[in-house]
Amino acid sequence: MAVTLTATDKAPPSDGAAARRPVPEASARNGFRLVVPAVIVVVLVFVIPVLYIVWQSVSDPTIGLQNYAWLLTSSTNLQVLGRTIVVAIGATLITAVVGYPYAYLMSTSGPVLRGIMMALVLLPFWTSLMVRAFAWVIILQNNGVLNAILRGMGAPGVSLLGTTTATLIGMCQVLMPFMVLPMVAVMQSIDHRLPLAAQVMGASPQKAFRTVYFPLSLPGVFAGCLMVFILSLGFYITPALLGSPREQLLPNAIYAQVLELLNWGHGGAMAVALLMIVGVLLALVALLGRVFGVQIGKLGGTGL
Amino acid sequence: MQGGAGNQTVDQKAFEKAPVGTVEEGALDGTTMTFTSWGGEFQKGQEEAFGTPFAEKSGAEVLFDGPTDVAKIKAQVDAGNVSWDVVNASPTMNTAHCDELFEPLDWNLIDTSKLPESTPKSKCYVPSLSYGYTFFYNADKYGDNPPKNWADFFDTKKFPGTRAVDGRPVPTAGTYEAALLADGVATDDLYPIDTDRALKKWTDIQDSLKYWSSGAEQTQMAQSGEADMVFGWSGRIYEANQSGANFKPVWDKAFIASDSFSIVKGSKNKVAAHAFINYALGADQQKKMAELTSYSPVNVDSKPVIPKEAEEFNVSSEAVAKVSIPQNSEYWGKNLDELGKAWSDWLS
């Protein structure tokens, strides 16, 4: 979860806001003191265990890099790694494509509709991940709700449970709020007179959207995609219940190594690999975000 | 969940040669120990049958924890901070980590004279109950011409339908053997296991396979009709039948498996732990546990009163004993790394 928090902090809007307001020196020092307990907790429950895992990955059963050699030479592992990234990209794309129009409608609609749409995104979010995964099991299984409806309409049933498709469906539902909420936050801050002005100046509505509105909304899309992508790399329960061991994702493979096979070194190497993927991606996206941020500033002058 | 208070005062001599199922009144006053099992209704049954009565009789305070988790045991042993004493585990797990995560048992403190001949017993465990690992088919679907043996289970032309099998990285002992038996290998020639041959047999029918990763999932798959056959644990399919499923067991060359009682390496209450195990194996205790959990007892004097529909799932019955074969947990425990690696590579 600490990774997630960092991700939110890195989201462009808060970055900009913090930079704009100068902080008096005295209160900064007090602020630092206030942070100390949180830092201690993070070091104790996050940094030290992570360092321990890194240590295990190079010391179990003997000191050396054999666990990383194992990770990178086994085709099974590379398959699992590749599949994990592909599924994460898939979940990000799907939630972005579905989430964007949803967020657009939400940011432009009146308070009642917005409230209802907010509830629709958040209500499932407040339900336990486990319960939702089981609900999908009931919906997607061979004699489940979905197939009952399909057969009722005379269509052939589909066997979804135990496939990557089922995992993706479950993941997208869980991840939707993480995509929609940052988008809405940014979209609400966009001055809707700007695309209108473009149209007054002769742009078609499509062009006004494409060249004015869409670039202005990009920081929200970025923040959402980053959150969803990183979170989806760490999904465990949903693939465990909806997917199949034959289409394992990295967190499930780590679980198997640590808890079932008792190869803590292997599990450690996998965990470090996952951490490094997330780190590299964060850096990459921060870089890209800066590039885009500059462009948006030039085009729209919103200061984001 | 720290145990160990007062364990120094326990005199081992007082517990030697205690008949199975007995413990001296108040012999463990002031001792605290922990019994860990698989959790759920199953563990509740065990607590009622012997956990709580043992605590009352011996005076020990018995804490219950669960589910059994070999990684947690490793963490406790590695850290030198062992908080679990008696663990209900699997013989495969015990054999694989004997003397490393589990204590070798002291046979002066456990009376094994009433254990059935067929059940496995080894340096680091005693059997705690019996169950069958075999396949169960939906009787409504296969009607008059049901599958009868492992060859039928692997014959997806004659018996179309989905089969749910063990999808955990280390499968239950018997998973390879079933494929080999279906492929024509004789029971006596199963070991050492030819994993390549077994996995090829599994690959042949992979389009008809679904995977469970827990006992509860077996129950759910049988109950919901997700699978037409389930290769799983008898107790779990019996549970599904209790809730309306109609699955029948196939006992021909079924693998008779045991759970085990074992003691965590470095337990601070070794004597109390042995006394607990010795008590739990008593005829009355085993009878009660069998009646509460539907798993079969491991005491030859234990004659549980079980309902008629459960009789079909009773692996200690003579009808089952005649056609089934014991699970080879010794072989599996010793070769666990290799067997698990081959299976988990095949899976993913």
Side-chain angles (χ1 to χ4, degrees), chain B:
Chain B
M1 221 154 279
Q2 286 299 321
N7 54 322
Q8 262 75 28
T9 61
V10 172
D11 178 16
Q12 178 169 339
K13 287 256 158 14
F15 295 89
E16 275 174 18
K17 309 276 183 262
V20 68
T22 64
V23 64
E24 223 173 285
E25 196 89 32
L28 290 166
D29 273 334
T31 307
T32 307
M33 59 167 289
T34 306
F35 170 62
T36 300
S37 185
W38 303 114
E41 286 302 311
F42 171 69
Q43 185 167 354
K44 265 188 222 152
Q46 289 185 314
E47 287 173 19
E48 197 181 324
F50 48 75
T52 313
F54 174 79
E56 276 164 14
K57 189 111 191 281
S58 69
E61 189 187 343
V62 179
L63 305 172
F64 301 107
D65 203 356
T68 300
D69 178 338
V70 69
K72 272 193 190 161
I73 296 175
K74 182 171 154 63
Q76 291 180 16
V77 173
D78 283 358
N81 186 12
V82 176
S83 59
W84 288 354
D85 299 299
V86 178
V87 179
N88 186 131
S90 77
T92 311
M93 200 191 280
N94 298 132
T95 310
H97 306 290
C98 187
D99 220 8
E100 167 206 342
L101 301 181
F102 298 99
E103 286 281 351
L105 297 180
D106 183 343
W107 300 110
N108 283 321
L109 298 175
I110 298 171
D111 174 7
T112 55
S113 60
K114 298 291 179 190
L115 286 176
E117 292 263 328
S118 61
T119 48
K121 180 190 94 170
S122 184
K123 203 173 152 195
C124 287
Y125 70 88
V126 279
S128 60
L129 56 85
S130 292
Y131 63 97
Y133 180 50
T134 187
F135 77 96
F136 305 80
Y137 62 87
N138 186 341
D140 298 334
K141 175 169 171 127
Y142 294 104
D144 294 338
N145 180 28
K148 289 182 190 68
N149 51 41
W150 289 116
D152 291 350
F153 181 81
F154 281 86
D155 191 341
T156 50
K157 284 203 186 70
K158 221 161 111 195
F159 301 96
T162 42
R163 284 107 163 113
V165 301
D166 198 337
R168 301 172 310 157
V170 180
T172 314
T175 305
Y176 289 118
E177 289 92 324
L180 293 173
L181 289 170
D183 210 26
V185 177
T187 316
D188 293 336
D189 302 334
L190 285 174
Y191 305 96
I193 289 173
D194 183 347
T195 51
D196 290 341
R197 181 168 174 186
L199 290 175
K200 194 190 159 294
K201 192 80 183 162
W202 279 114
T203 307
D204 288 345
I205 63 160
Q206 62 179 333
D207 292 340
S208 303
L209 297 180
K210 291 232 167 206
Y211 303 88
W212 52 259
S213 46
S214 67
E217 229 175 313
Q218 298 171 21
T219 312
Q220 191 261 335
M221 283 174 150
Q223 231 172 299
S224 66
E226 187 70 15
D228 303 306
M229 295 185 204
V230 179
F231 182 8
W233 307 326
S234 52
R236 300 301 187 154
I237 309 303
Y238 176 70
E239 265 177 55
N241 278 359
Q242 292 293 92
S243 319
N246 184 17
F247 274 64
K248 294 239 178 284
V250 172
W251 292 121
D252 186 25
K253 304 242 164 77
F255 303 96
I256 301 305
S258 296
D259 263 11
S260 64
F261 287 133
S262 50
I263 300 177
V264 178
K265 185 83 186 168
S267 153
K268 296 180 194 79
N269 303 293
K270 260 190 269 182
V271 175
H274 280 92
F276 181 94
I277 293 173
N278 194 45
Y279 182 84
L281 292 173
D284 287 343
Q285 290 86 333
Q286 286 285 313
K287 167 178 185 278
K288 187 136 194 232
M289 185 212 64
E291 285 165 2
L292 288 167
T293 66
S294 87
Y295 285 92
S296 302
V298 284
N299 183 314
V300 288
D301 294 342
S302 205
K303 297 277 179 280
V305 183
I306 44 181
K308 231 171 128 198
E309 67 269 22
E311 190 50 47
E312 209 176 3
F313 285 77
N314 178 14
V315 297
S316 53
S317 76
E318 216 162 294
V320 174
K322 257 192 278 178
V323 294
S324 57
I325 53 181
Q327 186 184 51
N328 194 337
S329 44
E330 279 294 300
Y331 179 86
W332 272 75
K334 286 188 180 123
N335 299 285
L336 199 60
D337 276 349
E338 190 191 314
L339 296 171
K341 194 187 169 312
W343 182 254
S344 54
D345 279 356
W346 179 78
L347 272 181
S348 46

Side-chain angles (χ1 to χ4, degrees), chain A residues 181-227:
Chain A
L181 296 181
M183 281 181 171
V184 170
V186 170
M187 285 174 179
Q188 275 178 337
S189 72
I190 295 174
D191 190 337
H192 282 265
R193 287 171 303 183
L194 290 174
L196 270 184
Q199 287 186 50
V200 169
M201 302 304 273
S204 65
Q206 289 85 359
K207 190 165 188 195
F209 174 81
R210 207 174 58 239
T211 57
V212 178
Y213 190 85
F214 185 68
L216 287 174
S217 67
L218 268 182
V221 176
F222 250 130
C225 286
L226 185 63
M227 287 275 263

Side-chain angles (χ1 to χ4, degrees), chain A residues 60 70 76 79-80 83 137 141-143 159 161-162 240-241 244-248 256 258-262 264, chain B residues 69-71 74-75 78 97 101 167-170 206 210-211 213 220 224-226 337 340 344-348:
Chain A
D60 186 289
W70 165 82
T76 317
Q79 257 175 20
V80 171
R83 191 185 297 132
V137 169
Q141 66 192 6
N142 285 355
N143 296 333
S159 186
L161 194 63
L241 290 176
S244 143
R246 300 221 67 169
E247 281 153 40
Q248 231 176 20
V258 173
L259 281 107
E260 309 248 4
L261 301 167
L262 280 194
W264 290 11
Chain B
D69 178 338
V70 69
K74 182 171 154 63
D78 283 358
H97 306 290
L101 301 181
R168 301 172 310 157
V170 180
Q206 62 179 333
K210 291 232 167 206
Y211 303 88
S213 46
Q220 191 261 335
S224 66
E226 187 70 15
D337 276 349
S344 54
D345 279 356
W346 179 78
L347 272 181
S348 46

